[in-house]
Each structure stands twice: as structure tokens, then as C-alpha cells.
Amino acid sequence: MMNLYTFLAQGFPQMGEKPAMILPDGQQISYSTLITRSAQYAQALVNTGAQPGDRVAVQVEKSHEAVALYLGCLRAGTVFLPLNTGYQKSELAYFIGNAQPRVIVCDPGKRETFAEIVSTLNPDPSPAVAGVSVRSAPHTTVLTMDIAGTGSLAEIANTCGADFATFARNPDDLAAILYTSGTTGRSKGAMITHRNLAANAETLVKFWGFTGDDVLLHMLPIYHVHGLFVALHCVLRAGAAMHFEPKFEPSRARALLAKSTVMMGVPTFYTRLLADPNFSKVECTTIRLFVSGSAPLLAESHIEFSARTGQAILERYGMTETGMNTSNPLVGARIAGTVGIPLPGVAVRVREGEITCGANEIGSIEVKGENIFPGYWQMPEKNAEEFTADGFFKTGDMGQWLENGYLQIVGREKDLIITGGLNVYPKELEEKIDALPGVLESAVIGVPHPDFGEAVVAVVVALPAAQIDEATLIATLKADVANFKVPKRVHVVAELPRNAMGKVQKNLLRQQFAALK
Ligand code: AMP
């Protein structure tokens, strides 16, 4: 095994002038430009004093230069640490204090903020981790990169040569640390190795049939596993091209679909396309594959999308810590409301305690394979809890196998509601509520209750012009499910709070509706 960059570069096209990226203004970034620019960034990092294993924290806008920087970090053997552009000072201070990066690259507007954070950093020697250098007195350099790629980092890079001998790395050396978007407690730094990323990239390119002829529509952020690893690695490893857009915008997506062969998105992309009455099959004729993940795609959206475009969205399941674990097939049935079958090389099991669940029995999802991360940064006790004795990672997701061998996700363990000692799986109720007339979507949560421990509460979004009556909805559910599952309250809201990846933020709903009255 080798440096992940070298592995990806093996898939680069022979013709270096072939575009890797097509930018919104039509400018093309060729593979040879990516090679040269990543070499310059790698050398710039080395010149700044970054050594293999050092963390490079990056909070910059999405741009082709940011992609070259990511590749440069890999080439220099450093650990890429992308930060959500929405993070503010107190959050950033935690990440920087925890990860102790050698270099920070940020938007010029955030330079002062990072400089202040760095000035208050206490040296905190980290325990030895494969491929990570430990310094007793870390010294952090703050460099800038704006959306055009210019800034103090580019100034150094511009003086560097076009060749850089990519540093060899061991498979278990860290390639990246991604902080999970933890909704409870502090977010954790998932350590991700060169092996994890190369294995998953190889699997996905084959499983989803990527070739050099593909053109991917890339509208995802690149600080998250979906846009950074899944989308970029499939393109680069296959020597394909991508339309590289700053963000999702439905009319822009519709215009670019006709020039693309694959689109990867979070479910919100698909619901927003469907919300546009002019979106139709005509725009999708060149597309061979629509992929959805990072949050559950409503079965209804899947069905409506098929009806509208003639294409079945391929839903897959993964997470920051694991990369991709299961996927609906490229050839064969893509079943709405399921995340498909285990990917080659990934062992997936569903267990209730130590007992393996049979079909239609809900349990905890555990995964094992070369794609699974070795643990969280500087959390040895946490790591021991997160893996089983036989090396499976406990995802924290609950699910069940259907009779046909497809996996269905039921929700996060922490979203499981225990009311009067009985388990309520939010997904079961959400599906029933979503199917009721006048309902667009719903989220079912547990809120504190003096007698039951937790009480079931439904938060519902109505279809345009529809009215939802709490008493009627509760009465309808009473006729359908056991009494303990019936929501004590139904709140109607204009929309559900979602994060950038389209995940419903149930923690916010739990806060908002904590009082039962
Ligand atoms: P992240 O680490 O931000 O990618 O979040 C990973 C989590 O997103 C998983 O543990 C699941 O709870 C959820 N997730 C990802 N893909 C899906 C999917 N297709 N269906 C349901 N949940 C998903």
C-alpha cells in the first residue's frame, strides 16, 4: 500500500490535459494542473515546517484550489483536517486545541480569529498514534486561502516547483481527521487512514461502475465525507471529470444535469429538484446514476423521482467513521426506503446485545472492513467502547434486514424513544404519519415525561395549503398502532431543522418541544 494520492493518481488519465474539474464559469482544471498545483501545495507545507503526521486544519470556501490543497496535504504526508465553513470561534478553538495542527489554512476573513485561538493554545502532547508526530510545544502557522485560491498559502506555493516526490505512507498512517457533526456532547475527531480511503474508493468505483467517461455533478460541500471522499475519490480514481459547483442550486443543477452522467446528493437535493414543477426526464437523459446518502431518503421521494425521471435513485449508507458500508446495486433492484446490501469487503451485522437479529428484527448495526476507521483522536477509552471484542464498529444506527437481504435504517440509537420501558422506533411512526393526507414529512422525538421517562411527540410539516389537526392525527394513529406509540402531542411546523448534509436535527426539536404542553 501507498500514499492515497499515489493510489488515486494511478487512475488519472494518460492525457494530462483532460479536465478533472469544470468550474461554474466554464474554466477547465486539467489533471496535469491538479498534479502541478498539489505538488506546489505539498512543497509549501514542507517549507512551512509541516512534517508527515502533522495536522493541517483547513477552513476555506469550496474551490478547485482547495481540492489541490487536499491532494497536496496527502502528498506531503500530513493529516488533512477540514472544518465546516459554518464553525464559529468557540467551536474552532475546540478543534484547534484538540487537534494541535501544525498549519491552519483559513479564509482571510478568519485569519485574526485563528491567530487569537493559536495564541491561547496550550501545548498538549498527544499520545503516540501511527504516523503522527508529537511535539511538546506545537507551533502553529496560520495561512490564508480565499475562494479564488489566493492568499498567503498561494504566495508560498507559487514559488515552489511543479514536481514533488510524494511521500510514502504506511496503510495505517492517518490521511485525515474529520470531526463528526456530533449532536450530543463534543464532536469527536475521526481518524481516517490511507488504507480506509483507498479501500473504499476502490470498492465504490467498481460497485458504481465509474469510468474515465463519467462526468459527476459535484454540488456537495468538501468538508464532509460525502463531497470530499465519496465524490472526489470516485472521480479521481476513475480519471473522470466533474462539474465543480460552490453549492446546490436547483436551476443550476438542472442546467448541468444534461452535461453530466452521475449526480451525488443528499436527500434535500432530490426533494428540491422535485419541488420544481419544470424538472423532468428531459434534463436527465445523459445521467446514468443518481446517488443519495448522508440522511434517509423518503421512500416517497424515491418513488416520485422514478415516476418523474424514469430513474431509480441509488441510496447508500455510510458515515464519517466508516466511509460507505452498504449500497443499492448498480444493476438490480434499487429498493425505496432501503440502503441496499453490504458493499464488497464490508461485513455488516445487526445485533441486539450479543444476539444476531434475523430478518425484520431491529437491532444495532455493526460494521467491519478495511474502510472502518481505527478510532477517535485522543480518546482511547471512547475507542474501547466503540468497537466489539471481535473488531466490529458500533455505528450507533439501528436497522433491520428485510427478507430480501436489503438493509433498512430505522434511526440513530440515541433517537430511540423509551416510554414506560417500551421501545418506540421513530421511523416506524414517521412513515405512518408521512403517509397520512396533508402531511409532507415528520420527525418523531422523545421528550422528558415524569411518569413514562420519555413521551412520544410528533413534529409535522403540512403539504402546501393542507391543514393538520392534532386530535384527528392522534385519533388516526390510535387506530393503527399500540397506544404507547401514539404521540402525546403533535406540533405543526413550517419546516424541519436540517444541517448542511440534510440531516434532521432532532436535538433542536427535543429542545424546542421539551415541554409537553
Ligand atoms: P455522517 O458521518 O455525517 O456522514 O453521518 C452518518 C450518519 O448519517 C449515519 O450514521 C446514519 O445515521 C446517517 N445516514 C447516512 N446515510 C444514510 C442513509 N442512506 N439513510 C439513513 N441514514 C443515513
Side-chain angles (χ1 to χ4, degrees):
M1 254 280 302
M2 54 185 72
N3 189 307
L4 172 69
Y5 171 82
T6 313
F7 166 82
L8 294 172
Q10 284 175 343
F12 289 0
Q14 297 292 328
M15 300 281 290
E17 288 320 304
K18 186 180 165 192
M21 309 168 100
I22 305 152
L23 307 184
D25 64 0
Q27 191 195 339
Q28 301 195 347
I29 306 298
S30 68
Y31 272 91
S32 52
T33 301
L34 263 192
I35 295 169
T36 305
R37 200 61 182 149
S38 61
Q40 291 178 308
Y41 281 128
Q43 189 62 55
L45 292 170
V46 171
N47 292 358
T48 309
Q51 293 172 15
D54 281 344
R55 278 74 63 210
V56 176
V58 177
Q59 190 193 38
V60 298
E61 295 299 330
K62 181 177 177 182
S63 72
H64 66 283
E65 289 285 330
V67 172
L69 171 59
Y70 164 54
L71 298 176
C73 284
L74 294 176
R75 297 184 70 174
T78 58
V79 181
F80 186 69
L81 196 161
L83 292 166
N84 186 323
T85 42
Y87 284 139
Q88 298 301 326
K89 188 169 178 186
S90 65
E91 295 160 311
L92 295 170
Y94 166 71
F95 296 126
I96 300 304
N98 186 248
Q100 305 265 315
R102 178 68 184 75
V103 178
I104 294 171
V105 184
C106 65
D107 194 79
K110 282 271 176 64
R111 216 208 85 81
E112 281 310 309
T113 304
F114 277 106
E116 280 169 29
I117 291 171
V118 166
S119 69
T120 60
L121 270 189
N122 292 320
D124 175 17
S126 19
V129 172
V132 172
S133 70
V134 178
R135 281 199 193 81
S136 54
H139 166 74
T140 306
T141 305
V142 182
L143 298 169
T144 59
M145 175 185 271
D146 64 17
I147 195 162
T150 54
S152 57
L153 174 61
E155 278 166 28
I156 306 172
N158 293 345
T159 66
C160 299
D163 293 320
F164 181 88
T166 299
F167 290 172
R169 295 270 75 195
N170 289 318
D172 294 325
D173 287 339
L174 301 190
I177 295 178
L178 264 62
Y179 280 86
T180 57
S181 50
T183 46
T184 48
R186 286 248 126 140
S187 82
K188 305 178 288 269
M191 301 191 290
I192 301 167
T193 67
H194 288 258
R195 183 203 303 276
N196 295 154
L197 295 172
N200 216 222
E202 184 74 347
T203 300
L204 294 179
V205 164
K206 286 198 186 130
F207 203 76
W208 293 341
F210 270 88
T211 72
D213 294 332
D214 275 312
V215 182
L216 179 122
L217 177 52
H218 194 304
M219 294 187 138
L220 292 158
I222 55 167
Y223 51 71
H224 182 269
V225 52
H226 198 164
L228 179 64
F229 298 146
V230 182
L232 282 189
H233 291 177
C234 281
V235 168
L236 296 176
R237 173 67 184 174
M242 60 192 144
H243 288 288
F244 203 67
E245 293 285 308
K247 62 178 183 13
F248 180 77
E249 210 277 299
S251 59
R252 186 77 188 141
R254 288 182 50 205
L256 289 174
L257 279 174
K259 300 177 185 167
S260 308
T261 64
V262 180
M263 175 170 133
M264 282 187 193
V266 294
T268 334
F269 289 13
Y270 295 104
T271 47
R272 288 180 63 192
L273 280 173
L274 288 171
D276 182 342
N278 296 319
F279 172 63
S280 74
K281 202 177 186 142
V282 182
E283 284 132 324
C284 305
T285 50
T286 58
I287 299 281
R288 68 170 185 87
L289 184 61
F290 284 103
V291 180
S292 177
S294 293
L297 178 75
L298 291 176
E300 205 174 88
S301 309
H302 186 285
I303 293 161
E304 195 185 339
F305 200 88
S306 289
R308 190 89 75 87
T309 65
Q311 303 228 24
I313 298 171
L314 177 151
E315 186 168 8
R316 92 301 181 276
Y317 159 64
M319 61 196 301
T320 304
E321 292 89 332
T322 64
M324 299 303 104
N325 297 311
T326 72
S327 170
N328 275 277
L330 186 63
V331 181
R334 297 182 198 155
I335 303 179
T338 81
V339 293
I341 53 177
L343 284 163
V346 188
V348 181
R349 68 188 186 191
V350 177
R351 299 205 309 171
E352 169 88 61
E354 304 276 294
I355 316 286
T356 302
C357 296
N360 303 316
E361 287 172 6
I362 294 174
S364 302
I365 302 174
E366 298 176 350
V367 293
K368 187 176 180 177
E370 287 203 306
N371 53 312
I372 312 299
F373 81 140
Y376 296 107
W377 175 253
Q378 292 191 323
M379 291 189 167
E381 320 78 40
K382 184 93 196 133
N383 292 338
E385 286 167 20
E386 304 277 335
F387 289 87
T388 63
D390 58 349
F392 277 73
F393 173 61
K394 302 176 195 166
T395 63
D397 289 314
M398 309 207 67
Q400 62 186 335
W401 295 111
L402 303 183
E403 303 284 353
N404 55 16
Y406 280 51
L407 185 68
Q408 188 165 56
I409 311 277
V410 174
R412 297 286 299 161
E413 264 165 38
K414 65 176 193 299
D415 292 333
L416 175 73
I417 304 165
I418 304 180
T419 181
L422 299 167
N423 288 0
V424 176
Y425 299 100
K427 174 90 178 243
E428 181 195 348
L429 286 174
E430 286 159 8
E431 282 180 348
K432 290 190 186 294
I433 297 172
D434 292 352
L436 297 178
V439 176
L440 174 65
E441 59 173 351
S442 62
V444 170
I445 52 171
V447 302
H449 188 280
D451 293 338
F452 302 123
E454 280 185 298
V456 178
V457 165
V459 184
V460 179
V461 180
L463 282 169
Q467 290 290 329
I468 289 175
D469 177 61
E470 179 172 20
T472 315
L473 197 146
I474 290 178
T476 313
L477 287 174
K478 265 198 179 141
D480 196 19
V481 296
N483 225 2
F484 70 92
K485 296 183 188 172
V486 176
K488 299 272 179 291
R489 287 296 317 262
V490 176
H491 299 282
V492 180
V493 295
E495 60 179 8
L496 297 175
R498 286 197 152 82
N499 71 9
M501 300 312 293
K503 286 190 226 295
V504 175
Q505 292 168 300
K506 288 198 167 176
N507 54 324
L508 297 184
L509 293 176
R510 280 190 285 259
Q511 280 166 21
Q512 190 181 347
F513 298 110
L516 261 186
K517 289 292 150 207

